[in-house]
Amino acid sequence: MTRVKASPVSAEERIAELDVLRGFALFGIFLVNMPTFLQPDLFLPEDRLPLSHTALDEWIRLLFDMFVQAKFYTIFSFLFGAGFYLFMSRAEQKGHPATRLYLRRLTVLMLFGVVHLLFFWYGDILHTYALAGLCLLWFYKRQEASIRRVALLLLIGWNLLMALTLLVPGESSYSAETWQRAREAITVYNQGGPAEWLQFRWTHEMPIVLEYEWMNVLSVLPLFLMGLYAAKKGVFHRPEQHAAAIKRVWLLALAASVPLVAMIPPVQSGAVDLPAPPELAVLVFIEWSGLSLCAFYITSLLLLLRTGRGRKLLAPLAPVGRMALTNYLAQTVLSLGIARLFHLYGQAEMWLGLVLCLVIFPLQMAWSRWWLSRYRFGPLEWLWRCLTYGFVPPMKR
């Protein structure tokens, strides 16, 4: 019998809802990442405002904390878990070595992430996904109820730990040394050469990233599992059968989000007195509201996509979602390039970063649509497939 060569998913096999959700999440991630492209975020005070900021910056930061921060990496993590199930199940249906292909896929993702992390930007999420993605193999064959139980236990345990931080008195740990490090970062990234950038990144930024890597893995793993659970249940293959459940989750997520989001301004201002410092306490509510709003955003989009007007309105997000890897890395290159060219690092106010997002992302949407009208995959998606499947799939349509 002739062995069938493993091949990437065709356009006909793609699930449009996932591409739209991925595109939506990519925009939110861009909004969250932009301040870190323009400011030494690792060395800023706990309020994450620029060293020199205005009242407008404070308002934008507050709105980001309420509706954007921690609300979109959660969606992307959920989608990664769903994508894992679809990848494995389709490979098995075609008679391919699913586990071997998946491990190769993760290895390539890790390579992308490491290059991104070491040479471009400390905030890379790809290497974290590659590490946490290994754990999904232990759950692929498990029953849906078992996957949901483990995911909920991890979520509850993680959030109980965060709740304990609210009860621990303390003061800001921001020091003169950290402030000096922020000033040094601004000088290096505005005026230094590539060798100075890399030396600063590897000496001062990488140790902080690696110190908290285990926390990043633990925070995304339960979201991976919830995405795996949803995909196994057929939420994306048969959304009409799960419409009632989606509406229930939408209502529950909305009910949970309103008080959690509403707590952020008074906690941030100190109007609500908690033992923990306001800057640290607000991070807990940002993370909690991130989970509830993640569910609210996902279910809202799924419900909108069931209507003709909603599908038409959200359709432009699908191409950018199909090229999520290319667009995610392109956002880094474009933003850092602009910051370097105009010496914006450490100087730009938050409103300028917001404007850049609102200009660059629509251009990415248009470019993605143009590209996919001529080619089957995004540039880096094509390379990812080449290295995963071990052959060169045709690029042009």
Side-chain angles (χ1 to χ4, degrees), residues 342-388:
F342 296 101
H343 302 284
L344 297 177
Y345 193 82
Q347 312 299 326
E349 297 178 359
M350 288 198 68
W351 68 264
L352 180 58
L354 177 59
V355 169
L356 287 174
C357 288
L358 296 177
V359 171
I360 293 174
F361 192 76
L363 293 176
Q364 286 190 306
M365 293 171 64
W367 179 75
S368 299
R369 182 177 180 181
W370 175 87
W371 181 273
L372 290 174
S373 70
R374 290 158 176 78
Y375 303 99
R376 299 176 64 212
F377 313 107
L380 293 182
E381 284 74 14
W382 175 80
L383 179 59
W384 195 6
R385 283 161 171 78
C386 289
L387 297 174
T388 296

Side-chain angles (χ1 to χ4, degrees), residues 22 24-42 44 48 50 60-61 64-65 68-74 76 116 120-126 129 216 324-337 339 345-346 348-350 352-358 360-361 364:
R22 204 172 283 116
F24 176 73
L26 192 65
F27 176 58
I29 287 172
F30 194 22
L31 290 174
V32 170
N33 289 344
M34 180 57 80
T36 70
F37 294 143
L38 299 178
Q39 296 289 339
D41 192 68
L42 284 178
L44 292 181
R48 289 154 293 118
I60 294 175
R61 179 76 269 170
F64 272 33
D65 288 346
V68 181
Q69 193 76 31
K71 281 68 173 177
F72 288 89
Y73 87 87
T74 46
F76 227 88
H116 189 214
F120 291 91
W121 178 56
Y122 64 81
D124 172 76
I125 195 66
L126 302 179
Y129 279 14
N216 295 330
L325 177 63
T326 295
N327 284 312
Y328 170 71
L329 295 177
Q331 287 170 359
T332 299
V333 174
L334 288 171
S335 301
L336 295 182
Y345 193 82
E349 297 178 359
M350 288 198 68
L352 180 58
L354 177 59
V355 169
L356 287 174
C357 288
L358 296 177
I360 293 174
F361 192 76
Q364 286 190 306

Side-chain angles (χ1 to χ4, degrees), residues 21 45 76 86 90 116 128 130 148 198 242 247 255 273-274 288 293 301 306 312 317 354 373 375:
L21 287 170
F76 227 88
L86 297 175
R90 284 167 173 168
H116 189 214
T128 302
R148 182 180 61 183
L198 295 180
H242 300 275
K247 288 180 181 178
D273 189 19
L274 294 169
W288 284 349
L293 277 180
L301 291 179
R306 297 187 69 238
K312 185 176 181 180
L317 290 171
L354 177 59
S373 70
Y375 303 99

Side-chain angles (χ1 to χ4, degrees), residues 47-58:
D47 58 16
R48 289 154 293 118
L49 284 165
L51 295 178
S52 176
H53 58 270
T54 64
L56 180 58
D57 289 333
E58 295 176 5

Side-chain angles (χ1 to χ4, degrees), residues 51-370:
L51 295 178
S52 176
H53 58 270
T54 64
L56 180 58
D57 289 333
E58 295 176 5
W59 277 105
I60 294 175
R61 179 76 269 170
L62 176 60
L63 291 174
F64 272 33
D65 288 346
M66 293 173 70
F67 301 108
V68 181
Q69 193 76 31
K71 281 68 173 177
F72 288 89
Y73 87 87
T74 46
I75 299 177
F76 227 88
S77 302
F78 176 88
L79 295 175
F80 189 94
F84 160 76
Y85 175 76
L86 297 175
F87 180 90
M88 295 289 288
S89 59
R90 284 167 173 168
E92 286 186 343
Q93 290 168 10
K94 296 175 181 178
H96 303 321
T99 300
R100 190 196 312 166
L101 285 174
Y102 178 68
L103 288 174
R104 197 184 299 167
R105 180 178 175 85
L106 281 188
T107 301
V108 179
L109 185 66
M110 174 62 82
L111 290 174
F112 280 130
V114 168
V115 171
H116 189 214
L117 176 66
L118 292 180
F119 297 100
F120 291 91
W121 178 56
Y122 64 81
D124 172 76
I125 195 66
L126 302 179
H127 73 285
T128 302
Y129 279 14
L131 291 172
L134 287 171
C135 303
L136 288 175
L137 289 170
W138 299 336
F139 295 94
Y140 177 60
K141 296 293 186 180
R142 292 182 179 270
Q143 296 294 321
E144 295 161 8
S146 176
I147 295 171
R148 182 180 61 183
R149 190 180 307 116
V150 173
L152 289 175
L153 284 174
L154 288 173
L155 279 174
I156 292 170
W158 181 253
N159 285 282
L160 282 176
L161 285 176
M162 286 198 294
L164 291 176
T165 65
L166 296 176
L167 306 177
V168 179
E171 298 180 355
S172 173
S173 60
Y174 196 69
S175 65
E177 181 183 355
T178 310
W179 183 88
Q180 183 58 39
R181 192 73 68 210
R183 303 304 305 177
E184 183 182 350
I186 292 171
T187 300
V188 168
Y189 286 123
N190 270 330
Q191 302 172 15
E196 292 175 274
W197 305 344
L198 295 180
Q199 182 181 6
F200 183 87
R201 179 174 298 120
W202 297 348
T203 303
H204 301 296
E205 294 177 348
M206 288 300 299
I208 298 174
V209 172
L210 296 177
E211 180 182 357
Y212 293 100
E213 187 62 35
W214 66 273
M215 295 177 61
N216 295 330
V217 171
L218 284 180
S219 66
V220 301
L221 181 56
L223 298 167
F224 283 9
L225 293 176
M226 291 304 294
L228 169 60
Y229 167 75
K232 289 196 78 164
K233 289 284 288 185
V235 170
F236 303 108
H237 280 103
R238 301 178 300 278
E240 66 285 347
Q241 296 181 15
H242 300 275
I246 292 171
K247 288 180 181 178
R248 284 197 301 271
V249 173
W250 181 84
L251 285 170
L252 289 171
L254 178 61
S257 296
V258 170
L260 290 173
V261 171
M263 280 293 291
I264 291 175
V267 170
Q268 192 173 73
S269 66
V272 173
D273 189 19
L274 294 169
E279 296 85 358
L280 297 179
V282 76
L283 294 178
V284 175
F285 284 95
I286 289 171
E287 291 292 331
W288 284 349
S289 61
L291 292 173
S292 61
L293 277 180
C294 164
F296 176 74
Y297 289 157
I298 289 174
T299 51
S300 295
L301 291 179
L302 289 177
L303 292 173
L304 275 173
L305 287 167
R306 297 187 69 238
T307 68
R309 181 174 294 180
R311 286 194 298 272
K312 185 176 181 180
L313 177 68
L314 298 173
L317 290 171
V320 76
R322 284 180 61 185
M323 294 173 51
L325 177 63
T326 295
N327 284 312
Y328 170 71
L329 295 177
Q331 287 170 359
T332 299
V333 174
L334 288 171
S335 301
L336 295 182
I338 291 171
R340 173 66 178 186
L341 180 63
F342 296 101
H343 302 284
L344 297 177
Y345 193 82
Q347 312 299 326
E349 297 178 359
M350 288 198 68
W351 68 264
L352 180 58
L354 177 59
V355 169
L356 287 174
C357 288
L358 296 177
V359 171
I360 293 174
F361 192 76
L363 293 176
Q364 286 190 306
M365 293 171 64
W367 179 75
S368 299
R369 182 177 180 181
W370 175 87

